Amino acid sequence: MESVLEYAKAMGKSTGLVVTSQINHATPASYVAHVPQRRMYNEIADSYFDAKIDDQFKVNVMLGGGWQYFIRDDRNLVEEFQQAGYQYIDSYAQLETIDNHNVLGLFADRGLPAALDEGNPDRLKDMVQAAVSRLETNDKGFFLLVEGSQIDWASHANDVASTMAEMDDLHRALLWLETYVSQHPNTLVVVTADHNTGGMTMGERAGGYRWEPAYLRQFSASPRTIAVTHAEQTWDPASLNQQLGFTLTKEEMAVLQPAHKEGAKAFYQAIKQVVDQRTNTGWTTGGHTGVDVPVFAFGQGKEQFIGQMDNTDIAKKLFAMLGRTPENESNKP
Ligand SMILES: [Zn+2]
């Protein structure tokens, strides 16, 4: 089955993947790779190099994580891409040095650090901006897949502080794209999710429909990282207060202190419990839910995405906008 990215490439457009997971994780891979199982990470990474369209690499710009899959004992895909003319970068600072149309940028062993553990609140925006600056030089246009990958991961963990920080990461990238589209009105941006995760509920507990996200704004690290670092040292409420950005009450200390003795996992659970109670956040599952997800669109052709639609309709509409219809599918270029 041909993906929208593959069809865009066959039409002569430039293509890109920008994600905060490893670049060969399920969502980006679904646009490029054809393997039986999503966890075949090495095979997926191999196919990014090996599978071609009209003798060309499928993806011009790849930015995300994944050293361990691209630099292996049995194969060094970074070297292979470099020998094939790709520019390779491995730090965000190098995003500004990109001067090649084909770029592989890997910034972590697997997924990127959680947004709360990054010094730069604009990391996704910076990657999107760098990718667009290369892709837009193609007169025939470009297709770019951007994923705020860790919104899902943080929601699986029922970690509201991390979920909101990952949402903010995507939000900053979207703000930049909104400005870009206002200056390049022949561009279309479609924003959606493949599902909801966690069933996050605001104002779930006692005290009415109150939600207090202000307590989520001052974290100096992700709750998982706070838990892991504190579990390795003696009970230190002062530094905990500082990292959480609020002063723990006696009741909250009574939840956290016993959990601290039980190690990082229990302490992480306890921190999440305290943060959920403070912010009045609830969760219905550690998995995915079946609720409808929003679809937003801006730029040229945005009106095609108004209203309720089947998820597969989004791909059909994008294919049609690129010129492929069910009628001409068999005699594609
Ligand atoms: Zn998920």
Side-chain angles (χ1 to χ4, degrees):
M1 185 188 283
E2 183 180 40
S3 74
V4 170
L5 181 145
E6 290 168 329
Y7 187 72
K9 172 53 72 180
M11 298 291 289
K13 296 179 192 303
S14 292
T15 53
L17 300 173
V18 174
V19 298
T20 58
S21 61
Q22 53 267 47
I23 194 72
N24 51 341
H25 202 256
T27 297
S30 71
Y31 285 81
V32 185
H34 299 272
V35 296
Q37 223 278 354
R38 60 179 284 178
R39 296 197 190 280
M40 297 171 71
Y41 287 119
N42 290 347
E43 290 83 353
I44 292 169
D46 288 349
S47 81
Y48 283 16
F49 187 88
D50 296 334
K52 310 268 192 333
I53 293 175
D54 301 333
D55 287 331
Q56 289 187 43
F57 290 103
K58 289 185 183 176
V59 192
N60 298 101
V61 179
M62 292 171 270
L63 303 176
W67 290 323
Q68 76 168 64
Y69 309 107
F70 284 75
I71 306 169
R72 315 192 305 259
D73 289 340
D74 66 313
R75 195 164 176 188
N76 188 329
L77 290 162
V78 166
E79 275 179 18
E80 292 186 47
F81 271 114
Q82 283 177 307
Q83 279 156 16
Y86 272 72
Q87 182 176 359
Y88 173 65
I89 60 172
D90 60 3
S91 74
Y92 299 133
Q94 291 171 286
L95 287 169
E96 288 178 17
T97 71
I98 292 176
D99 56 6
N100 190 320
H101 195 66
N102 290 338
V103 185
L104 174 64
L106 301 176
F107 311 106
D109 211 22
R110 290 191 284 173
L112 303 186
L116 281 172
D117 293 327
E118 293 269 24
N120 175 12
D122 283 314
R123 54 129 185 233
L124 184 57
K125 181 226 118 192
D126 289 348
M127 290 196 292
V128 169
Q129 187 172 358
V132 169
S133 75
R134 299 316 310 166
L135 299 173
E136 70 176 356
T137 60
N138 184 335
D139 293 342
K140 292 181 177 166
F142 66 90
F143 176 87
L144 173 64
L145 177 274
V146 178
E147 185 187 41
S149 317
Q150 300 193 32
I151 298 166
D152 174 66
W153 300 359
S155 297
H156 275 296
N158 288 181
D159 178 338
V160 67
S162 295
T163 297
M164 296 309 290
E166 300 299 338
M167 287 291 287
D168 187 58
D169 195 27
L170 179 64
H171 163 77
R172 287 163 183 261
L174 289 174
L175 281 180
W176 184 83
L177 283 168
E178 213 169 40
T179 306
Y180 181 84
V181 168
S182 70
Q183 291 157 0
H184 304 81
N186 60 345
T187 311
L188 168 68
V189 176
V190 180
V191 188
T192 191
D194 49 352
H195 53 75
N196 168 279
T197 304
M200 190 183 125
T201 307
M202 295 182 276
E204 177 253 13
R205 292 161 198 276
Y209 293 117
R210 167 185 65 84
W211 192 54
E212 310 239 17
Y215 292 117
L216 306 174
R217 293 185 195 281
Q218 301 299 327
F219 279 69
S220 65
S222 69
R224 190 191 301 271
T225 296
I226 293 173
V228 169
T229 51
H230 275 263
E232 288 165 0
Q233 55 200 47
T234 52
W235 174 243
D236 183 357
S239 99
L240 201 52
N241 284 339
Q242 200 212 342
Q243 286 183 300
L244 296 171
F246 54 81
T247 304
L248 292 161
T249 64
K250 236 183 249 173
E251 292 75 21
E252 288 168 339
M253 298 263 210
V255 173
L256 291 171
Q257 198 166 3
H260 176 258
K261 293 195 189 88
E262 293 170 40
K265 208 174 161 189
F267 196 44
Y268 181 37
Q269 293 297 337
I271 291 172
K272 289 188 290 183
Q273 184 188 329
V274 163
V275 174
D276 280 349
Q277 275 171 354
R278 245 189 201 253
T279 55
N280 213 23
T281 303
W283 303 88
T284 60
T285 176
H288 299 165
T289 74
V291 299
D292 289 347
V293 296
V295 181
F296 305 104
F298 47 96
Q300 185 173 311
K302 64 181 180 183
E303 58 284 341
Q304 293 207 36
F305 298 89
I306 293 170
Q308 193 179 31
M309 67 195 86
D310 190 83
N311 58 351
T312 61
D313 288 347
I314 295 174
K316 287 173 196 154
K317 288 169 196 278
L318 292 175
F319 270 121
M321 290 169 127
L322 290 168
R324 192 182 88 167
T325 60
E327 292 74 46
N328 69 12
E329 197 172 342
S330 49
N331 55 11
K332 65 186 183 190

